[in-house]
Amino acid sequence: MSAHTPKALYRDEGIVLRTQKLGEADRIVTVLTRRTGKVRAVAKGVRRTKSKFGARLEPFTHVDLQLYTGRNLDIVSQAESIRSYGQEIVADYPAYTAGTAVLETADRLTAEEKEPSLRLFLLVVGALRALGEKTHPAGLVLDAFLLRAMSVAGWEPALSECARCGEAGPHRHFSVPAGGTVCPACRPTGSAMPSPVTLELLDSLLTGDWARAEASQGINRREGSGLVAALLQWHLERGLRSLPLVDRSDPATEVRRRPATEDTDTGLHVVSGSMRP
C-alpha cells in the first residue's frame, strides 16, 4: 500500500471544546467526538462573514461533523448544529465559568487524539445540558463532572474506604496524594480533616444523589470544591487556568428542579460503580 493513502471521509458528532485562529480566515477547532475521541481540525474560511458554518463551530456547541483525515490536522467539510448551549451558558456567569472549566478539563483529560472515550463525551454533554437548563446549581454540576471525569480517567477518589489499604470507612482524614480518605494507620503527614458532611456531599455528586447534594450548605460546597480541585490538579500535575475563575455564588433557590429521569441519557447520572473496572 502506498504511504500516501487518499484522504478518508468520516462523520461524527461532538462538542466543540476550543477554537484558535489560523491564517486570515481559517480556524482550528478542537472537538471531543462521540466515536473518534478528540479531534483537531481545520475549518476553512469560517472567520469570513459569508461562512456557512462558522457559528456552528463555537465552544459549547454540540455539532454533527463531516471531516476528511489530513496529514496533521483533519479538515471540516460540513457542520450541522445539533444543539448550541452557548447562548444559555454565556448569559449566566456562574454557568459560563463552570462550563469553561468543563471544556478545559475534557481537553486536558484527552491528551491523546483520536482515542475514543464515550463516557467522557456523555459527561460533557450532560454537564453542558445541566448548566444551560439550570437543572442544578452550576458549582455542583462542575464538581460532579470533575469527580466523574476523574473516575473515567481511572482516578476515582476513595470516599468510603481507605485509599491505601481499602479498609472500610468512613474515615476522617483526606489525603490528596493518596487519592481520598485514609484510615488512621495509613494517614500521611499533612492530611486534611474535612467535615464528614463534605465527604457525604462528594459521594452524592459522584453517585448522582442530587437531592442530598442540593441540600448541602455553602460551607460544605466550598470545602468540597477545594478538595476536588486539589485532586484534579494533583493528577494533571498542573492546575486548570479556568478553575480559579469559577463563580460559585449561584444560589440554589434559582434552580429549577427537573425529574431525574430526564437526565438519564446525558451522562450526568452515570453511577460511579459502573465506571469502576
Side-chain angles (χ1 to χ4, degrees):
M1 181 181 292
S2 169
H4 301 287
T5 55
K7 293 182 179 179
L9 182 67
Y10 68 99
R11 197 174 194 95
D12 208 340
E13 63 174 284
I15 295 289
V16 179
L17 302 180
R18 61 188 175 97
T19 66
Q20 59 192 103
K21 295 178 181 178
L22 179 66
E24 294 184 358
D26 304 340
R27 185 175 283 153
I28 297 174
V29 294
T30 302
V31 186
L32 179 63
T33 67
R34 175 184 284 269
R35 293 180 295 276
T36 314
K38 186 169 78 173
V39 172
R40 294 176 71 238
V42 176
K44 294 184 178 295
V46 294
R47 289 163 54 205
R48 296 192 180 102
T49 55
K50 295 181 179 179
S51 170
K52 294 180 179 178
F53 51 74
R56 302 169 196 167
L57 295 174
E58 294 293 336
F60 303 116
T61 303
H62 187 182
V63 64
D64 180 68
L65 295 173
Q66 182 171 284
L67 307 103
Y68 287 100
T69 55
R71 184 185 296 265
N72 297 313
L73 297 172
D74 292 352
I75 299 173
V76 178
S77 60
Q78 289 183 13
E80 298 293 337
S81 178
I82 296 174
R83 177 168 178 180
S84 175
Y85 298 97
Q87 186 172 356
E88 301 159 328
I89 290 175
V90 171
D92 181 80
Y93 189 68
Y96 172 70
T97 57
T100 301
V102 167
L103 297 188
E104 186 183 355
T105 301
D107 192 14
R108 292 281 299 278
L109 288 178
T110 50
E112 294 293 326
E113 293 183 24
K114 298 190 176 179
E115 289 289 334
S117 180
L118 177 60
R119 287 176 178 171
L120 183 60
F121 170 79
L122 292 175
L123 285 176
V124 173
V125 173
L128 297 186
R129 176 180 171 183
L131 291 172
E133 297 181 355
K134 293 184 171 61
T135 310
H136 309 291
L140 293 183
V141 171
L142 173 60
D143 287 337
F145 169 81
L146 295 178
L147 284 166
R148 297 174 200 187
M150 283 190 282
S151 178
V152 168
W155 306 326
E156 182 172 318
L159 299 174
S160 58
E161 69 280 336
C162 177
R164 288 191 164 174
C165 72
E167 180 183 338
H171 301 298
R172 284 305 314 276
H173 291 89
F174 191 98
S175 170
V176 169
T181 58
V182 285
C183 69
C186 296
R187 175 172 64 89
T189 303
S191 297
M193 189 181 287
S195 164
V197 178
T198 298
L199 296 177
E200 291 175 5
L201 168 61
L202 297 186
D203 184 67
S204 300
L205 294 174
L206 189 59
T207 58
D209 187 346
W210 285 103
R212 189 167 63 150
E214 291 186 12
S216 61
Q217 301 298 310
I219 187 171
N220 300 117
R221 295 184 186 186
R222 288 189 292 274
E223 186 176 43
S225 298
L227 293 175
V228 172
L231 281 168
L232 184 64
Q233 180 169 334
W234 173 265
H235 289 302
L236 292 177
E237 300 181 349
R238 60 188 175 93
L240 298 177
R241 293 189 305 273
S242 55
L243 209 52
L245 305 177
V246 172
D247 183 340
R248 296 185 180 274
S249 63
D250 53 318
T253 53
E254 294 182 1
V255 175
R256 300 195 314 273
R257 295 290 182 88
R258 298 172 67 89
T261 52
E262 292 192 17
D263 289 332
T264 53
D265 63 342
T266 66
L268 267 181
H269 281 264
V270 177
V271 178
S272 63
S274 65
M275 297 179 181
R276 296 191 179 103

